[in-house]
Amino acid sequence: GASLAEGALSLKEKELIVVGISVAMRCDTCIVVHLEKALAAGATRAEIMEACGLAIAMGGGPVMACVPVVVKFLEETQR
């Protein structure tokens, strides 16, 4: 939608934010959808993992349980 259009933040930056939010919300489907979009927008594995780190900083241990979804997706798609 319009909120993900280029603006003051690039599409890549917005998708990284949404990846972090998806992890913080513990929504596996959202995580995968926005990982795909973030990678398509040029995000790197390091940038994605940093976004996950911010989600963990805000949400603590329960959020950390979703990071394996991210790691598995990255391992499967970046071979």
Side-chain angles (χ1 to χ4, degrees):
S3 61
L4 289 178
E6 289 278 342
L9 297 173
S10 70
L11 177 59
K12 179 178 89 167
E13 291 167 325
K14 289 180 178 187
E15 285 299 340
L16 287 167
I17 291 168
V18 178
V19 166
I21 293 169
S22 297
V23 171
M25 297 296 296
R26 296 178 277 173
C27 175
D28 290 357
T29 302
C30 302
I31 292 168
V32 170
V33 167
H34 290 288
L35 283 172
E36 290 172 347
K37 291 181 177 187
L39 290 170
T44 65
R45 180 185 181 100
E47 291 169 329
I48 290 167
M49 295 310 296
E50 190 165 333
C52 290
L54 292 171
I56 293 166
M58 295 303 297
V63 171
M64 190 178 285
C66 289
V67 174
V69 173
V70 174
V71 173
K72 180 180 179 197
F73 179 87
L74 293 173
E75 287 174 350
E76 290 176 354
T77 60
Q78 298 190 322
R79 291 179 191 209

